[in-house]
Coordinates of all heavy atoms in Angstrom, one line a residue:
G11 N -107.6 -13.7 31.3 CA -108.0 -15.0 31.7 C -109.1 -15.6 30.8 O -109.6 -16.7 31.1
A12 N -109.6 -14.8 29.8 CA -110.6 -15.3 28.9 C -110.1 -16.5 28.1 O -109.0 -16.5 27.7 CB -111.1 -14.2 28.0
A13 N -111.0 -17.4 27.9 CA -110.7 -18.6 27.0 C -110.5 -18.0 25.6 O -111.3 -17.3 25.1 CB -111.8 -19.6 27.0
V14 N -109.4 -18.5 24.9 CA -109.1 -18.0 23.6 C -109.2 -19.1 22.6 O -108.4 -20.1 22.7 CB -107.7 -17.3 23.5 CG1 -107.5 -16.9 22.1 CG2 -107.6 -16.2 24.5
L15 N -110.2 -19.1 21.7 CA -110.3 -20.1 20.7 C -110.2 -19.4 19.4 O -110.9 -18.5 19.1 CB -111.6 -20.8 20.7 CG -111.9 -21.7 22.0 CD1 -113.3 -22.3 21.9 CD2 -110.9 -22.8 22.0
A16 N -109.2 -19.7 18.6 CA -109.0 -19.1 17.3 C -110.2 -19.4 16.4 O -110.8 -20.4 16.4 CB -107.7 -19.6 16.6
L17 N -110.6 -18.3 15.6 CA -111.6 -18.5 14.6 C -111.0 -19.1 13.3 O -111.6 -19.0 12.3 CB -112.3 -17.2 14.3 CG -113.0 -16.6 15.6 CD1 -113.8 -15.4 15.2 CD2 -113.9 -17.6 16.2
G18 N -109.7 -19.6 13.5 CA -109.1 -20.2 12.3 C -108.2 -19.3 11.5 O -107.8 -19.7 10.4
L19 N -108.0 -18.1 12.0 CA -107.2 -17.2 11.2 C -106.2 -16.4 12.0 O -106.2 -16.5 13.2 CB -108.2 -16.2 10.5 CG -109.2 -17.0 9.6 CD1 -110.5 -16.2 9.5 CD2 -108.6 -17.2 8.2
A20 N -105.4 -15.6 11.3 CA -104.3 -14.9 12.0 C -104.8 -13.8 13.0 O -105.9 -13.3 12.9 CB -103.4 -14.2 11.0
A21 N -104.0 -13.5 14.0 CA -104.4 -12.5 15.0 C -104.5 -11.1 14.4 O -104.0 -10.8 13.3 CB -103.4 -12.6 16.1
C22 N -105.0 -10.2 15.2 CA -105.2 -8.9 14.8 C -103.9 -8.1 14.6 O -102.9 -8.5 15.3 CB -106.1 -8.1 15.8 SG -107.6 -9.0 16.2
S23 N -104.0 -7.1 13.9 CA -102.9 -6.2 13.8 C -102.8 -5.3 15.0 O -103.8 -5.3 15.8 CB -103.0 -5.3 12.5 OG -104.0 -4.4 12.7
G24 N -101.8 -4.4 15.1 CA -101.7 -3.5 16.3 C -102.7 -2.4 16.2 O -103.5 -2.3 15.2
S25 N -102.7 -1.5 17.2 CA -103.6 -0.4 17.3 C -103.6 0.5 16.1 O -102.5 0.9 15.6 CB -103.3 0.4 18.5 OG -104.1 1.5 18.6
A26 N -104.8 0.8 15.5 CA -104.8 1.7 14.4 C -104.7 3.1 14.9 O -105.2 3.5 15.9 CB -106.1 1.5 13.7
E27 N -104.1 4.0 14.1 CA -103.9 5.4 14.4 C -104.5 6.2 13.3 O -104.3 6.0 12.2 CB -102.4 5.7 14.6 CG -101.8 5.1 15.8 CD -102.3 5.5 17.1 OE1 -102.8 6.7 17.1 OE2 -102.2 4.8 18.1
A28 N -105.4 7.2 13.7 CA -105.9 8.1 12.7 C -104.7 8.9 12.2 O -103.9 9.4 12.9 CB -107.0 9.0 13.3
T29 N -104.7 9.1 10.9 CA -103.6 9.9 10.2 C -104.0 11.3 9.9 O -105.2 11.6 9.8 CB -103.2 9.2 8.9 OG1 -104.3 9.1 8.1 CG2 -102.7 7.8 9.2
G30 N -103.0 12.1 9.8 CA -103.2 13.5 9.5 C -103.5 13.7 8.1 O -103.6 12.8 7.3
S31 N -103.8 15.0 7.7 CA -104.2 15.3 6.3 C -103.1 15.0 5.3 O -101.9 15.2 5.6 CB -104.5 16.8 6.2 OG -105.6 17.1 7.0
D32 N -103.5 14.4 4.2 CA -102.6 14.1 3.1 C -103.3 14.1 1.9 O -103.7 13.1 1.3 CB -102.0 12.7 3.4 CG -101.0 12.3 2.3 OD1 -100.6 13.1 1.5 OD2 -100.6 11.1 2.2
A33 N -103.6 15.4 1.4 CA -104.5 15.6 0.3 C -104.0 14.9 -1.0 O -104.8 14.5 -1.8 CB -104.6 17.1 0.0
S34 N -102.7 14.7 -1.1 CA -102.1 14.1 -2.3 C -102.5 12.6 -2.5 O -102.5 12.1 -3.6 CB -100.6 14.2 -2.3 OG -100.1 13.4 -1.2
S35 N -103.0 12.0 -1.4 CA -103.3 10.5 -1.5 C -104.8 10.3 -1.9 O -105.2 9.2 -2.1 CB -103.0 9.8 -0.2 OG -103.9 10.4 0.8
S36 N -105.5 11.4 -1.8 CA -107.0 11.3 -2.1 C -107.2 11.5 -3.6 O -106.5 12.3 -4.2 CB -107.8 12.3 -1.3 OG -109.1 12.0 -1.4
P37 N -108.2 10.9 -4.2 CA -108.4 11.0 -5.7 C -108.8 12.4 -6.2 O -108.7 12.6 -7.3 CB -109.5 10.0 -5.9 CG -110.2 9.8 -4.6 CD -109.2 10.0 -3.6
A38 N -109.3 13.3 -5.3 CA -109.7 14.6 -5.8 C -109.2 15.7 -4.8 O -109.9 16.4 -4.3 CB -111.2 14.6 -5.9
G39 N -107.9 15.7 -4.6 CA -107.3 16.7 -3.8 C -107.8 16.7 -2.4 O -108.0 17.8 -1.8
G40 N -108.0 15.6 -1.8 CA -108.5 15.5 -0.4 C -110.0 15.0 -0.3 O -110.4 14.6 0.7
F41 N -110.7 15.1 -1.4 CA -112.1 14.7 -1.4 C -112.3 13.4 -2.2 O -111.6 13.1 -3.1 CB -113.0 15.8 -2.1 CG -113.0 17.1 -1.4 CD1 -112.1 18.1 -1.7 CD2 -113.9 17.3 -0.4 CE1 -112.1 19.3 -1.0 CE2 -113.9 18.6 0.3 CZ -113.0 19.5 0.0
A42 N -113.4 12.7 -1.8 CA -113.7 11.5 -2.6 C -114.1 11.7 -4.0 O -113.8 10.9 -4.9 CB -114.8 10.7 -1.8
V43 N -114.8 12.8 -4.2 CA -115.3 13.2 -5.6 C -114.7 14.5 -6.0 O -113.9 14.6 -6.9 CB -116.8 13.2 -5.6 CG1 -117.3 13.7 -7.0 CG2 -117.4 11.8 -5.3
D44 N -115.1 15.6 -5.4 CA -114.6 16.9 -5.7 C -114.9 17.9 -4.5 O -115.5 17.5 -3.5 CB -115.2 17.5 -7.0 CG -116.8 17.6 -6.9 OD1 -117.3 18.1 -5.9 OD2 -117.4 17.1 -7.9
E45 N -114.4 19.1 -4.7 CA -114.4 20.0 -3.5 C -115.8 20.5 -3.2 O -116.1 21.2 -2.2 CB -113.5 21.2 -3.8 CG -114.0 22.0 -5.1 CD -113.1 23.2 -5.3 OE1 -112.0 23.3 -4.7 OE2 -113.4 24.0 -6.2
N46 N -116.8 20.2 -4.1 CA -118.2 20.7 -3.8 C -119.1 19.6 -3.3 O -120.2 19.8 -3.0 CB -118.8 21.2 -5.1 CG -118.0 22.4 -5.7 OD1 -117.8 23.3 -5.0 ND2 -117.7 22.3 -7.0
T47 N -118.5 18.4 -3.1 CA -119.2 17.2 -2.7 C -118.6 16.5 -1.5 O -117.4 16.3 -1.4 CB -119.3 16.2 -3.9 OG1 -119.8 17.0 -5.0 CG2 -120.3 15.1 -3.6
L48 N -119.5 16.0 -0.6 CA -119.0 15.1 0.4 C -119.8 13.8 0.3 O -121.0 13.8 0.2 CB -119.3 15.7 1.8 CG -118.4 16.9 2.2 CD1 -118.9 17.4 3.6 CD2 -117.0 16.5 2.3
V49 N -119.1 12.7 0.3 CA -119.7 11.4 0.1 C -119.9 10.8 1.5 O -118.9 10.7 2.3 CB -118.9 10.4 -0.7 CG1 -119.5 9.1 -0.8 CG2 -118.7 11.0 -2.1
F50 N -121.1 10.4 1.9 CA -121.5 9.9 3.2 C -121.8 8.4 3.1 O -122.6 8.0 2.4 CB -122.7 10.7 3.7 CG -123.1 10.3 5.1 CD1 -122.5 10.9 6.2 CD2 -124.1 9.4 5.4 CE1 -122.9 10.6 7.5 CE2 -124.5 9.1 6.7 CZ -123.9 9.7 7.7
G51 N -121.0 7.7 3.9 CA -121.2 6.2 4.0 C -121.8 5.8 5.3 O -121.5 6.4 6.3
V52 N -122.6 4.8 5.3 CA -123.3 4.3 6.5 C -123.2 2.7 6.4 O -123.4 2.1 5.4 CB -124.7 4.7 6.6 CG1 -125.4 4.2 7.9 CG2 -124.9 6.2 6.5
V53 N -123.0 2.1 7.6 CA -123.0 0.7 7.7 C -124.4 0.3 7.3 O -125.4 0.7 7.9 CB -122.7 0.2 9.1 CG1 -123.1 -1.2 9.3 CG2 -121.3 0.4 9.4
P54 N -124.6 -0.6 6.3 CA -125.9 -1.0 5.8 C -126.6 -2.1 6.7 O -126.7 -3.2 6.3 CB -125.6 -1.5 4.4 CG -124.2 -2.1 4.6 CD -123.5 -1.3 5.5
D55 N -127.0 -1.6 7.9 CA -127.4 -2.6 8.9 C -128.9 -2.8 9.0 O -129.4 -3.5 9.8 CB -126.8 -2.3 10.2 CG -127.1 -1.0 10.7 OD1 -127.9 -0.2 10.1 OD2 -126.6 -0.6 11.8
S56 N -129.7 -2.0 8.2 CA -131.1 -2.3 8.1 C -131.7 -1.8 6.8 O -131.0 -1.1 6.0 CB -131.9 -1.5 9.2 OG -132.0 -0.1 8.9
V57 N -132.9 -2.2 6.4 CA -133.4 -1.9 5.1 C -133.7 -0.4 5.0 O -133.8 0.1 3.9 CB -134.7 -2.7 4.9 CG1 -134.4 -4.2 4.8 CG2 -135.8 -2.4 5.9
D58 N -133.8 0.3 6.1 CA -134.2 1.7 6.1 C -133.0 2.6 6.3 O -133.1 3.8 6.6 CB -135.2 2.0 7.1 CG -136.5 1.3 6.9 OD1 -136.9 1.2 5.7 OD2 -137.1 0.8 7.9
T59 N -131.8 2.1 6.1 CA -130.6 2.9 6.4 C -130.5 4.3 5.8 O -130.3 5.3 6.5 CB -129.3 2.1 6.1 OG1 -129.2 0.9 6.9 CG2 -128.0 2.9 6.3
E60 N -130.7 4.3 4.5 CA -130.5 5.6 3.8 C -131.6 6.6 4.3 O -131.3 7.8 4.6 CB -130.6 5.4 2.3 CG -130.5 6.8 1.5 CD -130.5 6.6 0.0 OE1 -130.6 5.4 -0.5 OE2 -130.3 7.6 -0.7
T61 N -132.8 6.1 4.3 CA -134.0 7.0 4.8 C -133.7 7.5 6.2 O -133.9 8.7 6.4 CB -135.3 6.2 4.7 OG1 -135.5 5.8 3.4 CG2 -136.4 7.1 5.1
N62 N -133.3 6.7 7.1 CA -133.1 7.1 8.5 C -132.0 8.1 8.6 O -132.1 9.0 9.5 CB -132.7 5.8 9.3 CG -133.9 4.9 9.5 OD1 -135.0 5.2 9.2 ND2 -133.6 3.7 10.0
Y63 N -131.0 8.1 7.8 CA -129.9 9.0 7.9 C -130.0 10.2 7.0 O -129.1 11.1 7.1 CB -128.6 8.3 7.7 CG -128.1 7.5 8.9 CD1 -128.5 6.2 9.0 CD2 -127.3 8.1 9.8 CE1 -128.1 5.4 10.1 CE2 -126.8 7.3 10.9 CZ -127.2 6.0 11.1 OH -126.8 5.3 12.2
Q64 N -131.0 10.4 6.2 CA -131.2 11.5 5.3 C -131.1 12.8 6.1 O -130.4 13.8 5.6 CB -132.4 11.4 4.5 CG -132.5 12.4 3.4 CD -131.4 12.3 2.4 OE1 -131.2 11.2 1.8 NE2 -130.6 13.4 2.1
P65 N -131.8 13.0 7.2 CA -131.7 14.3 7.9 C -130.3 14.7 8.3 O -129.9 15.8 8.3 CB -132.6 14.1 9.1 CG -133.6 13.1 8.7 CD -132.8 12.1 7.8
L66 N -129.5 13.7 8.8 CA -128.1 13.9 9.2 C -127.3 14.3 8.0 O -126.5 15.3 8.0 CB -127.5 12.7 9.8 CG -126.1 12.9 10.4 CD1 -126.0 14.0 11.4 CD2 -125.6 11.6 11.0
M67 N -127.5 13.7 6.8 CA -126.8 14.1 5.6 C -127.2 15.5 5.2 O -126.3 16.3 4.8 CB -127.1 13.1 4.5 CG -126.5 11.7 4.7 SD -126.7 10.6 3.2 CE -128.4 10.2 3.4
D68 N -128.5 15.8 5.3 CA -128.9 17.2 5.0 C -128.3 18.2 5.9 O -127.9 19.3 5.5 CB -130.4 17.3 5.0 CG -131.1 16.5 3.9 OD1 -130.4 16.2 2.9 OD2 -132.3 16.2 4.0
Y69 N -128.1 17.8 7.2 CA -127.5 18.7 8.2 C -126.0 19.0 7.9 O -125.5 20.1 7.9 CB -127.7 18.2 9.6 CG -127.0 19.0 10.7 CD1 -127.6 20.3 11.0 CD2 -125.9 18.6 11.3 CE1 -127.0 21.1 12.0 CE2 -125.3 19.4 12.3 CZ -125.9 20.6 12.6 OH -125.3 21.4 13.6
I70 N -125.3 17.9 7.5 CA -123.9 18.0 7.1 C -123.8 19.0 5.9 O -122.9 19.8 5.8 CB -123.3 16.6 6.8 CG1 -123.3 15.8 8.1 CG2 -122.0 16.8 6.1 CD1 -122.9 14.4 7.8
S71 N -124.8 18.9 4.9 CA -124.8 19.8 3.8 C -125.0 21.2 4.3 O -124.3 22.1 3.8 CB -125.9 19.4 2.8 OG -125.9 20.2 1.7
E72 N -125.8 21.4 5.2 CA -126.1 22.7 5.8 C -124.9 23.4 6.4 O -124.6 24.5 6.2 CB -127.2 22.7 6.8 CG -127.6 24.0 7.4 CD -128.4 24.9 6.5 OE1 -128.9 24.5 5.5 OE2 -128.4 26.1 6.8
I73 N -124.1 22.6 7.2 CA -123.0 23.2 7.9 C -121.7 23.3 7.1 O -120.8 24.1 7.4 CB -122.7 22.4 9.2 CG1 -122.2 20.9 8.8 CG2 -123.8 22.3 10.1 CD1 -121.8 20.1 10.0
T74 N -121.7 22.6 6.0 CA -120.5 22.7 5.1 C -120.7 23.4 3.8 O -119.7 23.8 3.1 CB -120.0 21.3 4.8 OG1 -121.0 20.6 4.0 CG2 -119.6 20.5 6.0
G75 N -122.0 23.6 3.4 CA -122.3 24.2 2.2 C -122.0 23.3 1.0 O -121.9 23.8 -0.2
K76 N -121.9 22.0 1.2 CA -121.6 21.1 0.1 C -122.7 20.1 -0.1 O -123.5 19.9 0.8 CB -120.3 20.3 0.4 CG -119.1 21.2 0.6 CD -117.8 20.5 0.9 CE -116.6 21.4 1.2 NZ -116.3 22.4 0.1
T77 N -122.8 19.6 -1.3 CA -123.7 18.6 -1.7 C -123.2 17.3 -1.0 O -122.1 17.0 -1.0 CB -123.8 18.3 -3.2 OG1 -124.2 19.5 -3.8 CG2 -124.7 17.2 -3.5
V78 N -124.2 16.6 -0.3 CA -123.8 15.4 0.4 C -124.5 14.2 -0.4 O -125.7 14.2 -0.5 CB -124.3 15.4 1.8 CG1 -124.0 14.0 2.5 CG2 -123.5 16.5 2.6
E79 N -123.7 13.3 -0.9 CA -124.1 12.1 -1.6 C -124.1 10.9 -0.7 O -123.1 10.7 0.0 CB -123.3 11.9 -2.9 CG -123.4 13.0 -3.9 CD -122.6 12.7 -5.1 OE1 -121.9 11.7 -5.1 OE2 -122.6 13.5 -6.1

Side-chain angles (χ1 to χ4, degrees):
V14 179
L15 292 178
L17 299 186
L19 297 153
C22 309
S23 70
S25 177
E27 294 294 336
T29 58
S31 293
D32 181 9
S34 64
S35 65
S36 190
F41 295 93
V43 176
D44 59 49
E45 63 181 7
N46 299 311
T47 307
L48 292 175
V49 179
F50 184 82
V52 184
V53 169
D55 57 4
S56 79
V57 294
D58 298 318
T59 296
E60 180 177 2
T61 301
N62 289 347
Y63 279 90
Q64 188 63 54
L66 183 59
M67 290 188 284
D68 292 341
Y69 179 72
I70 292 171
S71 178
E72 178 73 19
I73 64 175
T74 62
K76 301 183 186 300
T77 299
V78 176
E79 295 182 355

